[in-house]
Every structure is written in structure tokens, then in C-alpha cells.
Amino acid sequence: MDTLLTADLAAKAPRFRRRSSTFVDAIHDLPEKESMAPAQLYSTESGRLFHSGRIMIATVGLPARGKTHTSVALARYLRWLGVKTRIFHLGDYRRATVGPGNEVPADYFFTNASASSVILRNKILKRCREDIYHFLDSENGQIAIYDAVNPLSAGRKQLAREFAKHNIQTLYIESQCTDEKIIEENVRNVKISSPDYRGWTDADAVADYLKRINARIPHFETMEEPELHYVKMINAGERLVVNNCAFGYLSQRIVFYLLNLHTKSRQTYFARAGTTSDQESSKVDAPLSAEGEDYARKMGDTLIKHREEERQKMIEMGGSDVSLRPLTIWTSTRRRTVETSHYLASKGYRVRQRSQMSQLNPGVCERMSERRIRAEYPQEVAKHEADPYHHRYPRAESYHDLAVRLEPIILELEREQNDLLIIAHESVLRVLYGYLMACSATDIPNLEFPRDEIIEIIPASYNNEAKRIHIPDLPPRMIAGSPEGLKIPVPPSGAVTPFSGVGTPSGSVTPLTEHVSIPLRRVTSNPGS
């Protein structure tokens, strides 16, 4: 869902999609069709959930305080639940209106701007608000997130009155920051991810952004209006102030999510568990095989080496010479995932076991071949081919069931401030990756995680990106995305999925640590892998 679509620049591109593969965050994508969200419990004719009306969420705060990060993170969570949400970045409208390669007037960001700059700002603001109304009134939208500075109390009051005339509740989220280290990190992240600074040198981008911040500071008014609904996040979630936000279940759910959110940067890594002597069973809690123990050592060494290399790169780019952020490891309670973490635990890393991260239950399909499943359950196979995400085989779980089960893990993932390595079954990694990269329910069952790769999620304020890290010297039989057996989803004979996946097609070689787009591939995924 991209606000650029409404600007003249993209007026002739109604099918525009920012994403080229599941390695690029889809939080700003335009959906090709309406469909159930990964953790959506039910649908309605209007498209609105929880007996809640329409809400306009407006951000408040100086630049580099985490407003865009909060907007994107909140939209990610709400869309995961099925709440029809769209982000309206005012900066997108500015870039689209000015056009590619053109600069805004020099005084555009200053309060005492020239008349021509004020007219341009009002034109951009009018277009953005018209699109918010259109989304909420004509597209059955439920939550519009208006990402802008909104610095003045009078302007915020006027905005709330304007939307109230259309029976739309207004909730403000202020990002306030007094910690200089957080501001410095936010400036660096914006410099890296913001479309404003593509092609800029690091020094020029930082200098320009700090100039914007200094222009706003003398004229900014923090939120103190008792009649308005607002949440004030102080120092990236260290403290929250909530005022007058009890106007429905959805508003309370938003506040609850913000209580779990922080905007400090940290990396998330996904890795498969090592192999066991009984790979085909989800019921037998088998220990790691000798190959599995060797994999655990190689995976741990590869991750440790990669983190140190990334720290050195940051120093070379002008970052401060600080120690690495602590790394926490999450596993399920299954023996194979716990034993895969033992090598890193022996080096002093903290390991936590999470019972909710158990693999998808295959039910009656346990240990059954695809041929036998098709013979004994032809109707179930047909249902599965029609909807591989929501369908469940007899006495089994669907991916939707797994996504609902993992919601507490998702909230704790948002709370985690250390770097995080998640060692889990492939089905769990699919769902958690799907959340962080805003994959659709159609994408998730097709994601693939070969054992010779660690997947790194690189967070940024505007969108996340994924990188794969090659684990060298593993035997070829361990590298396949999944062992042979039951295929979920079960494709028609000879079918190729239309979705690029996370990982490498069987038999190919993964280059060492790179951003990638994956070509079409056959799905060979087993719930017991």
C-alpha cells in the first residue's frame, strides 16, 4: 500500500509494487487482491474488525525520533492481525510532487519559509489528507497512519476536529527523545534507509538531516492537550504516557502493542536446527546426530565471525568503536533446537527456551509419503492445494493456527533489545519471517530455509531487508530446504510456485553473505523437517 500511487509521478502505474522478492520488506506494497491476513481471525463485509470504527493515527515529533519506525512497526502488527491499515508518509508525497532528481526549495523545512514554499507545503498536505479520506471512506480502510512532524498544538487540535466531522477518531503518537545516543543512531538509520538520501555521501546526508532537525527545534510543542487522545513514547519506549485513549478495543490493542515496542536498532537471525537420527518424525524428540552437532558448531562460528565483520565495517564507515550488542538465543523446547544452541551457550551466550515455538503439527500425515497422502486423503489434498495457509489436515495444525500460537512470541520479539538468534523448525521460521517482512499468507508456506544459510533481518526505519549468510563446509545432504516426504503445500504435478522464496534452490551454491532475489522454484517442504 504505497502513498506514491496517488501522486502524479505514479498516476499511470496502478500495479506498481516496490518489492521484487520476499527478501524485501512488503510493508509498503500495494496488494494485488484482498485476502485474509496471516493472523486474521475472521472477516467482515465492510473489511473492518473488532466492532471498531475508523481511526486516523498521526505521529508527532522532531526528525530522528523514531516516528517512521513506529508507524511502520505498528502498521506491520495491525496488518498481521487483519486490520486494514495504510501508512501515509508525508515525505513520500513531497518526493512524488517535486519529482525525481529535483530538490525542494532551500527554506522548505523552515518555519519562516517563503510564500512559494508555504504554497508547496499546503499542496502536498492537501493531497495527502485527500488520500487518507479516500482510503477510509471509499476503500473500507480502518486505520490510516499519517506520518509527519505535526509540531504545533493548534494544528493538532484543528486536525482532530477536521477528522471528527467525518466520524473518524484521531490518535496521536508522539516520539520524544532526550538520549543523544538514540538520536545519533536514528540519524544513521535514516541516512541509510530514507529515499531522501539515495546517492548522498554519509557526511553530506548527516549534515543535511541535522540541519532539518535544528530548524524544527525552536518551534516544536510537545503534546500536553488534555482533550486529545495521545500516547507519548519517551526515549524509544523506556517510558510511555497515555492520555484519554479508551475509545474502543482497537485503541486499547494499539496501546498494548506500543507498550511492547521499542525503536532501538537490533539484528534478528534465523537458523534451522541441526539434523537428528530420526528426521521424519515430529513426535520423536531425538537428539542431534554427529552431523547435527558439527552443523551447530559451524553455524555458531559463522555467526560469530559475521557479527565481528559487520562491526568492523561500521567502524570503517565512521561509526563509533563500541562492543557488539549482546546476542540472545531463542529455541523451542524440542531437543534438537536446544542442543543446536549448546555450542553458542558454551561461549557464554544466553539461551531461552520458548514452548510456543514448537513446529507445526502434521497430524495424521506423520511419516506419510506424498503418494500415500494423495491416495488416502484426496479431498484434503484438494483443499490444501486451494488454500495451503489456512487448510489443516486431520488432527493437524495449519499455518494460520501456528501464526495465532506465535503471537506472544511476536510481542516479545518486539520487546527484545539484544540481537536475537532464533533456532527453530522451518515452519516456525516461515511464520516469524513472514511477520518481519510483511509477507502475505500466500507467500508464507513457500518460504524455504536451507541449512547452509543463516537469514539476517536488517531493520531500518522505512522498511526491513533480509540478507543470507552462508555456512561453509556442510555435507550436501544437509543443505536441501527440507527432506523428501510430505509436501506442504502439495503442488499439482510438475507445478512451479509463482513466489520467490527465502533460500537457495536445491543443488545450487550460496554466495557468501549477500542480498538476493530468488528465482522460481519447486516446493519441497516437509512438516517434520
Side-chain angles (χ1 to χ4, degrees):
M1 298 177 177
D2 198 309
T3 55
L4 288 174
L5 292 171
T6 59
D8 296 337
L9 181 66
K12 297 182 180 179
R15 304 290 288 178
F16 172 88
R17 289 176 66 84
R18 176 174 288 139
R19 186 174 65 152
S20 60
S21 78
T22 52
F23 260 83
V24 180
D25 192 353
I27 192 63
H28 294 95
D29 273 10
L30 176 69
E32 292 183 347
K33 63 179 181 179
E34 293 293 330
S35 60
M36 292 277 281
Q40 186 171 338
L41 297 177
Y42 66 96
S43 61
T44 64
E45 187 175 349
S46 69
R48 301 188 182 113
L49 305 180
F50 306 115
H51 301 285
S52 297
R54 299 168 300 168
I55 302 173
M56 195 278 293
I57 297 174
T59 61
V60 176
L62 291 165
R65 265 57 175 181
K67 299 186 302 300
T68 298
H69 182 112
T70 301
S71 300
V72 170
L74 181 58
R76 188 185 311 281
Y77 179 67
L78 292 171
R79 286 170 59 172
W80 180 257
L81 296 179
V83 180
K84 194 169 182 181
T85 306
R86 187 176 297 180
I87 315 170
F88 295 84
H89 299 289
L90 193 60
D92 278 353
Y93 283 84
R94 168 173 49 80
R95 285 181 286 272
T97 301
V98 173
N102 297 321
E103 299 289 335
V104 295
D107 63 349
Y108 178 87
F109 294 103
F110 292 81
T111 304
N112 57 344
S114 63
S116 60
S117 292
V118 171
I119 291 172
L120 177 61
R121 286 200 309 232
N122 289 338
K123 175 184 176 182
I124 293 168
L125 186 61
K126 180 172 182 270
R127 177 177 290 169
C128 181
R129 292 189 185 175
E130 286 174 350
D131 282 357
I132 291 174
Y133 284 130
H134 185 270
F135 170 66
L136 295 174
D137 292 337
S138 304
E139 299 181 34
N140 291 331
Q142 188 159 14
I143 293 184
I145 300 179
Y146 173 42
D147 179 22
V149 174
N150 293 308
L152 302 179
S153 176
R156 295 191 291 261
K157 291 177 182 177
Q158 175 59 33
L159 187 65
R161 287 194 295 268
E162 179 184 330
F163 279 94
K165 294 176 184 177
H166 296 260
N167 198 28
I168 299 169
Q169 290 279 8
T170 301
L171 171 64
Y172 289 98
I173 300 176
E174 179 179 350
S175 298
Q176 186 182 97
C177 193
T178 58
D179 188 329
E180 292 298 325
K181 289 183 178 178
I182 297 175
I183 296 174
E184 179 184 342
E185 185 173 282
N186 286 343
V187 169
R188 187 168 61 248
N189 287 341
V190 168
K191 173 195 69 179
I192 293 170
S193 65
S194 173
D196 279 349
Y197 297 112
R198 288 196 184 111
W200 287 53
T201 65
D202 294 349
D204 288 346
V206 170
D208 183 79
Y209 203 71
L210 290 174
K211 184 178 178 182
R212 287 192 199 179
I213 295 172
N214 293 331
R216 300 279 191 181
I217 288 175
H219 308 282
F220 181 79
E221 299 172 358
T222 189
M223 292 217 64
E224 300 290 348
E225 304 88 334
E227 71 273 24
L228 296 182
H229 308 289
Y230 68 81
V231 178
K232 186 182 294 189
M233 299 181 65
I234 300 170
N235 286 337
E238 289 180 2
R239 187 161 69 93
L240 257 71
V241 177
V242 180
N243 182 75
N244 198 25
C245 288
F247 56 85
Y249 172 79
L250 198 49
S251 68
Q252 297 296 322
R253 191 75 180 247
I254 291 168
V255 171
F256 174 68
Y257 174 76
L258 294 176
L259 286 167
N260 290 278
L261 180 67
H262 70 84
T263 58
K264 297 176 182 177
S265 177
R266 52 108 169 89
Q267 311 296 93
T268 301
Y269 306 93
F270 293 144
R272 293 274 298 280
T275 53
T276 69
S277 55
D278 193 342
Q279 277 295 101
E280 296 184 357
S281 175
S282 66
K283 295 179 182 177
V284 177
D285 200 6
L288 289 183
S289 62
E291 279 188 347
E293 292 176 353
D294 181 62
Y295 162 82
R297 288 189 293 272
K298 290 176 178 175
M299 184 271 291
D301 288 340
T302 299
L303 182 59
I304 291 170
K305 179 182 177 182
H306 171 75
R307 279 164 47 82
E308 181 57 36
E309 288 174 350
E310 290 298 299
R311 187 179 80 89
Q312 292 300 325
K313 287 180 185 177
M314 187 62 69
I315 294 172
E316 292 171 5
M317 293 171 60
S320 54
D321 186 2
V322 296
S323 59
L324 286 167
R325 189 178 291 104
L327 176 69
T328 299
I329 302 164
W330 288 1
T331 74
S332 72
T333 54
R334 301 278 295 179
R335 192 170 176 180
R336 73 173 77 170
T337 63
V338 174
E339 291 185 358
T340 303
S341 71
H342 281 176
Y343 178 73
L344 286 168
S346 70
K347 292 186 172 292
Y349 294 99
R350 182 187 179 198
V351 179
R352 296 184 60 189
Q353 298 177 25
R354 313 307 304 269
S355 60
Q356 299 99 325
M357 286 171 48
S358 297
Q359 67 192 69
L360 183 147
N361 181 357
V364 298
C365 296
E366 175 84 13
R367 293 181 177 271
M368 293 175 65
S369 68
E370 180 186 352
R371 182 186 299 274
R372 183 179 169 191
I373 294 169
R374 288 186 178 277
E376 295 188 16
Y377 300 101
Q379 292 182 336
E380 295 296 332
V381 169
K383 292 176 183 177
H384 196 93
E385 290 175 348
D387 188 356
Y389 186 84
H390 294 94
H391 173 262
R392 62 176 71 86
Y393 284 93
R395 296 197 294 278
E397 281 185 303
S398 66
Y399 277 99
H400 178 262
D401 297 330
L402 182 57
V404 173
R405 168 160 47 99
L406 287 173
E407 186 179 359
I409 297 296
I410 285 171
L411 291 171
E412 187 139 357
L413 190 153
E414 296 286 14
R415 284 197 297 271
E416 183 62 59
Q417 299 197 21
N418 294 339
D419 285 353
L420 182 63
L421 168 64
I422 297 176
I423 302 173
H425 180 263
E426 194 173 27
S427 60
V428 174
L429 299 183
R430 286 176 182 141
V431 172
L432 294 178
Y433 180 95
Y435 171 75
L436 289 174
M437 299 301 288
C439 296
S440 70
T442 308
D443 288 338
I444 288 173
N446 300 300
L447 302 177
E448 195 170 277
F449 294 81
R451 278 198 177 87
D452 69 336
E453 294 174 356
I454 300 168
I455 304 301
E456 178 184 11
I457 306 295
I458 304 167
S461 59
Y462 203 73
N463 58 277
N464 296 335
E465 192 166 339
K467 178 192 290 186
R468 62 187 189 183
I469 305 161
H470 177 62
I471 304 173
D473 303 325
L474 294 180
R477 60 183 169 274
M478 290 185 66
I479 295 175
S482 304
E484 294 300 322
L486 169 63
K487 298 179 180 179
I488 291 187
V490 181
S493 298
V496 176
T497 71
F499 304 101
S500 52
V502 178
T504 308
S506 212
S508 60
V509 178
T510 308
L512 180 64
T513 310
E514 64 168 345
H515 300 272
V516 349
S517 295
I518 305 298
L520 300 180
R521 58 168 178 74
R522 297 181 186 276
V523 175
T524 55
S525 131
N526 187 309
S529 62

